[in-house]
Amino acid sequence: MTEYILLGFLMERDMTGYEMKQHMSISTSYFVDASYGSIYPSLKRLGQKGLVKCNETVENGKLKKIYSINERGKAVFLKWLASPILTSTTDISSALAKVFFFRHLPPEKSASLIGQCVRDLESYKKSLLELRSKVADQAESFELCTLDFGLDCYDFAIRWCSEHLLNKAE
Amino acid sequence: MTEYILLGFLMERDMTGYEMKQHMSISTSYFVDASYGSIYPSLKRLGQKGLVKCNETVENGKLKKIYSINERGKAVFLKWLASPILTSTTDISSALAKVFFFRHLPPEKSASLIGQCVRDLESYKKSLLELRSKVADQAESFELCTLDFGLDCYDFAIRWCSEHLLNKAE
DNA sequence: TCAAACATGTAACACGTTACATGATTTG
DNA sequence: CAAATCATGTAACGTGTTACATGTTTGA
């Protein structure tokens, strides 16, 4: 997912790997905060895939590699952005990453993705509710507790997306 | 973390790798659901570390490797269980995994861990609030939105832990 | 002048997924 | 008798972390 975050940053402006790391720390850090050991190899891969190009310059005696996104990179980024928000029940980070860049999507598209997201949450909740009724009698108290936390999380997320996200996208 | 889940299962009863996978699907699956390609290598490692032992039997012509946890394994598991619930702002799965097995902890210990967890959540929330005030003027609407979601998540989690978890542990 | 910040990267290691590979038994 | 379930595992691949390795400039 790091690669998509980096592409997203480059949608805004050209940057060096170092700047991307800095930018992360004041924007995505609380849900994604990659290390240099992840950022530099990711940039290399993006270059090999032909999604970004790199301009080497020397500024104040320091080597700088300024990356920029090209048309293919933009297409790949937008395709990712326009795909369903939720990819698993666990991966909240990638969901937030997508919403973070939603300004690059036409309002009706982001609205439809958010609507889909709410329906997915409701469906996940339903499955979990079914699991609960199946195991409620045999499960131990703390075990059931984690399941109920999951259920309440779904309620919270469904309410939050409906109240804060859906109207914002239109 | 898979290794700790497997150790936790073995605290209850001896099992085969296959059974552990099945047990996961009706217990931890919505926050951790490892594949066989993760379970079998994990069991191998646990054996190499001397935390579990394995009894090979043949039942109905089928090879069965029944694993059991030993004293060292129990000690390692309990040490993990008694360590702070939150390890990062992102990793909700490992937090839930710990709570899932809280019955193996003395009530005063689980209560103190939950208390610590609430304080950690409050501290994370405070940091995020500081970040928000720093970037609020320059951040775009959807970007700020993901940040506000984080903030509301912390409120939700703090309230949930205080209401549902703290009294249960005592 | 010394530490912090700027700037880039690799190597070892950990750990997860999917697909592949095998073979027995049970059930419709 | 065929398909589902039981049962174990490996290999290739992806991707992340930490620690290492290097060198410059800026500011106290």
Side-chain angles (χ1 to χ4, degrees):
Chain A
M1 197 188 41
T2 305
E3 289 181 26
Y4 290 111
I5 305 268
L6 301 181
L7 286 178
F9 287 167
L10 294 176
M11 290 289 287
E12 195 65 26
R13 63 177 182 86
D14 294 355
M15 274 189 210
T16 67
Y18 189 82
E19 284 177 301
M20 292 185 210
K21 169 79 177 149
Q22 282 179 121
H23 190 62
M24 262 190 192
S25 76
I26 56 152
S27 61
T28 67
S29 60
Y30 91 96
F31 59 90
V32 171
D33 199 10
S35 61
Y36 288 119
S38 174
I39 289 172
Y40 285 118
S42 290
L43 288 170
K44 197 188 220 176
R45 279 194 298 272
L46 287 171
Q48 285 163 349
K49 289 178 198 165
L51 307 181
V52 301
K53 86 170 207 287
C54 167
N55 226 315
E56 288 188 45
T57 57
V58 178
E59 239 170 75
N60 307 324
K62 273 173 282 187
L63 171 72
K64 269 197 183 187
K65 291 188 158 188
I66 301 163
Y67 290 89
S68 52
I69 191 167
N70 60 27
E71 288 312 311
R72 282 194 56 207
K74 285 179 189 175
V76 167
F77 172 75
L78 290 173
K79 192 184 167 187
W80 167 76
L81 198 59
S83 67
I85 296 175
L86 295 178
T87 50
S88 84
T89 52
T90 342
D91 196 3
I92 181 83
S93 291
S94 72
L96 288 173
K98 224 165 260 181
V99 175
F100 185 87
F101 293 114
F102 261 18
R103 67 173 174 285
H104 297 290
L105 237 39
E108 65 275 11
K109 182 62 191 175
S110 45
S112 89
L113 283 175
I114 293 161
Q116 184 59 56
C117 176
V118 169
R119 284 192 296 279
D120 287 344
L121 286 167
E122 273 157 357
S123 151
Y124 285 156
K125 189 195 159 189
K126 207 183 144 205
S127 307
L128 198 51
L129 215 44
E130 276 161 23
L131 180 65
R132 195 192 194 284
S133 66
K134 214 184 294 179
V135 302
D137 49 326
Q138 35 172 327
E140 183 271 344
S141 154
F142 274 116
E143 292 183 4
L144 216 52
C145 201
T146 59
L147 207 154
D148 286 332
F149 177 77
L151 249 16
D152 289 342
C153 272
Y154 285 132
D155 282 334
F156 165 75
I158 289 165
R159 221 176 324 112
W160 202 93
C161 292
S162 305
E163 284 172 19
H164 294 79
L165 224 43
L166 215 50
N167 57 317
K168 176 173 305 256
E170 284 153 356
Chain B
M1 198 190 37
T2 306
E3 289 182 24
Y4 290 112
I5 305 268
L6 301 181
L7 287 177
F9 287 166
L10 294 176
M11 291 290 285
E12 195 65 27
R13 64 176 180 84
D14 296 354
M15 274 189 212
T16 67
Y18 189 82
E19 284 177 303
M20 292 185 212
K21 169 78 177 150
Q22 282 180 119
H23 191 62
M24 261 188 192
S25 76
I26 55 153
S27 62
T28 68
S29 60
Y30 92 95
F31 58 91
V32 171
D33 198 10
S35 62
Y36 287 119
S38 175
I39 289 171
Y40 286 118
S42 291
L43 287 170
K44 198 186 218 176
R45 280 195 297 272
L46 287 171
Q48 285 163 350
K49 290 178 197 165
L51 307 181
V52 301
K53 86 170 207 289
C54 167
N55 226 314
E56 288 186 45
T57 56
V58 178
E59 239 170 74
N60 305 324
K62 272 173 283 186
L63 172 73
K64 268 196 183 185
K65 292 188 158 190
I66 300 163
Y67 290 89
S68 52
I69 192 168
N70 61 27
E71 289 313 310
R72 282 192 55 207
K74 285 179 191 176
V76 166
F77 173 75
L78 290 173
K79 192 183 167 187
W80 168 76
L81 198 59
S83 68
I85 296 175
L86 294 178
T87 51
S88 85
T89 52
T90 342
D91 195 3
I92 181 80
S93 290
S94 72
L96 288 173
K98 224 166 258 180
V99 174
F100 186 86
F101 292 114
F102 260 18
R103 66 172 177 285
H104 296 291
L105 238 38
E108 65 275 11
K109 182 63 192 175
S110 45
S112 89
L113 284 175
I114 293 161
Q116 184 59 56
C117 175
V118 170
R119 284 191 298 278
D120 288 343
L121 286 167
E122 273 156 358
S123 152
Y124 285 156
K125 188 195 158 185
K126 205 182 145 205
S127 309
L128 197 52
L129 215 45
E130 277 161 23
L131 180 66
R132 194 191 194 284
S133 66
K134 213 183 295 176
V135 302
D137 49 325
Q138 36 172 329
E140 183 272 344
S141 155
F142 274 116
E143 291 183 4
L144 216 52
C145 199
T146 60
L147 208 153
D148 287 332
F149 177 76
L151 249 17
D152 288 342
C153 271
Y154 284 132
D155 281 334
F156 165 75
I158 290 165
R159 220 176 325 112
W160 202 92
C161 292
S162 305
E163 284 173 19
H164 293 78
L165 225 44
L166 215 51
N167 57 318
K168 177 172 306 256
E170 283 155 357

